[in-house]
Amino acid sequence: MDFFQQVYKGKNNWWRYLLLSLVVFTPFFLRIFYFLFVEVKTKPTNLDSNFLLFKGLQQYVVFFVVLILGVRFLHKRPIRSLFTSKKKIDWWRYIFGVSSWGLFVLIYFSLNYFAYPESYRWNFKLVPFAILFLISITLVPIGAIFKELFFSGYLLQVFGVLTKNKWTAIILKSILYVLAVGISPIFSKVGFHVLFFYLASSLFTGIITALDDGVELAMGMQTANNIFAILYITTTWTGFQTNALLLDRSEPKVLFLVYIPVLLFLPIYFFLLKQMYGWERVKEKLSGKVIEPSIKNINL
């Protein structure tokens, strides 16, 4: 059984999908909107960014628990089936995803810094940064894992069983991801370019999840993205600034922000992963049909 077929280990009535999706997605969407457009803009001056970030991230713990419980008790299927079709969740894949994609993100930020050194100011303050670091290694991974579990795990499997087509499922979950996270102050600065970035990134995580029969690598990528974005560079033009090492005071540079990661880093990273994990039958895994397995194979 591949990753898409894991849904057949449980209950697949349409109302179960609708109920859990609404219970998880609605507050997730509203929380992002409220955090970016209400809480951040109206925060009292005595609340620092670390406290505000902590408040925002702790919500993901609740979302994560609700999603896990929903799969286990509403769909009545093993929690492992949400993560992978392997015999057990491969946390080494997650660690590799964090470290390897983290290296790409570090290269990306460094290229940006050395290309425009005049745009950056050293922003390091020991105590605020130490607190930010603790938040980043505790709550940020939970938020990142939740996002990929929900979009590249649950929704990918939902759309797979509903449409019976893997590529259609990958596209639909990516569009929904763009709708969820695309509403941010960065849109007013970068425009539709940022939607292209979000769409390409979500398509990529959907593709590697389908090829690897598990969401571990995608969770690692999301974790690396979020940790480095919070710790390394903050900007004056986003809706929320952190106590990061560097402050970018310039206007966003579309080339570095969108096209270098999408057109250069993602293809290189895909080739690296394909060679490392020996992915085969790529066309079948990405565009094949989602077929209900026989009763004999469901419990495998």
Side-chain angles (χ1 to χ4, degrees), residues 92-106 217 220-221 223-225 228 269 276-277:
W92 284 112
R93 267 176 161 81
Y94 171 73
I95 293 171
F96 178 77
V98 174
S99 56
S100 59
W101 184 245
L103 179 60
F104 276 85
V105 176
L106 181 61
L217 289 171
M221 285 187 66
T223 301
N225 275 335
F228 274 89
Y269 193 55
M276 181 167 183
Y277 293 109

Side-chain angles (χ1 to χ4, degrees), residues 34-53:
Y34 180 79
F35 180 73
L36 291 174
F37 294 98
V38 180
E39 190 167 326
V40 168
K41 292 188 176 183
T42 60
K43 69 171 182 175
T45 55
N46 61 332
L47 291 182
D48 69 15
S49 60
N50 283 338
F51 178 77
L52 200 57
L53 180 64

Side-chain angles (χ1 to χ4, degrees), residues 122-191:
W122 188 244
N123 192 53
F124 176 74
K125 299 180 183 67
L126 179 58
V127 174
F129 182 80
I131 297 172
L132 180 65
F133 180 80
L134 290 175
I135 294 173
S136 297
I137 63 174
T138 54
L139 291 179
V140 169
I142 295 175
I145 289 173
F146 160 74
K147 287 180 185 177
E148 288 307 320
L149 267 187
F150 183 60
F151 287 100
S152 294
Y154 184 73
L155 288 182
L156 186 64
Q157 292 175 334
V158 167
F159 289 132
V161 76
L162 293 179
T163 66
K164 305 298 183 183
N165 185 277
K166 297 176 181 178
W167 184 242
T168 302
I170 293 172
I171 293 175
L172 289 176
K173 82 92 181 175
S174 300
I175 292 173
L176 204 57
Y177 180 80
V178 171
L179 293 176
V181 303
I183 53 157
S184 66
I186 192 176
F187 183 82
S188 63
K189 292 288 186 179
V190 185

Side-chain angles (χ1 to χ4, degrees), residues 118 120 126 128-129 148 200 237 280 294 299:
E118 70 283 354
Y120 295 92
L126 179 58
F129 182 80
E148 288 307 320
W237 45 266
E280 299 177 345
S294 65
N299 294 321

Side-chain angles (χ1 to χ4, degrees), residues 46-264:
N46 61 332
L47 291 182
D48 69 15
S49 60
N50 283 338
F51 178 77
L52 200 57
L53 180 64
F54 176 81
K55 276 189 65 180
L57 289 174
Q58 67 181 352
Q59 308 294 320
Y60 288 111
V61 178
V62 178
F63 297 151
F64 176 80
V65 171
V66 170
L67 178 61
I68 293 296
L69 292 178
V71 169
R72 183 67 187 92
F73 295 105
L74 182 63
H75 288 287
K76 299 185 184 302
R77 63 184 174 101
I79 293 173
R80 174 174 56 85
S81 67
L82 181 63
F83 286 81
T84 183
S85 63
K86 308 173 190 72
K87 293 183 178 180
K88 61 180 181 179
I89 301 170
D90 190 346
W91 290 108
W92 284 112
R93 267 176 161 81
Y94 171 73
I95 293 171
F96 178 77
V98 174
S99 56
S100 59
W101 184 245
L103 179 60
F104 276 85
V105 176
L106 181 61
I107 292 171
Y108 160 76
F109 280 134
S110 299
L111 286 174
N112 204 349
Y113 174 77
F114 287 114
Y116 304 97
E118 70 283 354
S119 300
Y120 295 92
R121 177 172 64 82
W122 188 244
N123 192 53
F124 176 74
K125 299 180 183 67
L126 179 58
V127 174
F129 182 80
I131 297 172
L132 180 65
F133 180 80
L134 290 175
I135 294 173
S136 297
I137 63 174
T138 54
L139 291 179
V140 169
I142 295 175
I145 289 173
F146 160 74
K147 287 180 185 177
E148 288 307 320
L149 267 187
F150 183 60
F151 287 100
S152 294
Y154 184 73
L155 288 182
L156 186 64
Q157 292 175 334
V158 167
F159 289 132
V161 76
L162 293 179
T163 66
K164 305 298 183 183
N165 185 277
K166 297 176 181 178
W167 184 242
T168 302
I170 293 172
I171 293 175
L172 289 176
K173 82 92 181 175
S174 300
I175 292 173
L176 204 57
Y177 180 80
V178 171
L179 293 176
V181 303
I183 53 157
S184 66
I186 192 176
F187 183 82
S188 63
K189 292 288 186 179
V190 185
F192 286 97
H193 298 283
V194 73
L195 299 185
F196 170 72
F197 172 77
Y198 285 137
L199 181 61
S201 300
S202 190
L203 285 171
F204 186 85
T205 56
I207 287 170
I208 65 174
T209 296
L211 291 176
D212 200 49
D213 281 321
V215 78
E216 298 99 332
L217 289 171
M219 294 190 312
M221 285 187 66
Q222 182 76 246
T223 301
N225 275 335
N226 292 358
I227 288 178
F228 274 89
I230 288 172
L231 287 179
Y232 195 21
I233 295 178
T234 189
T235 70
T236 56
W237 45 266
T238 54
F240 180 69
Q241 287 84 47
T242 69
N243 293 292
L245 292 176
L246 296 170
L247 174 66
D248 183 358
R249 298 168 294 178
S250 66
E251 290 298 302
K253 308 161 191 71
V254 173
L255 176 64
F256 271 94
L257 191 64
V258 176
Y259 294 105
I260 286 182
V262 171
L263 301 180
L264 180 61

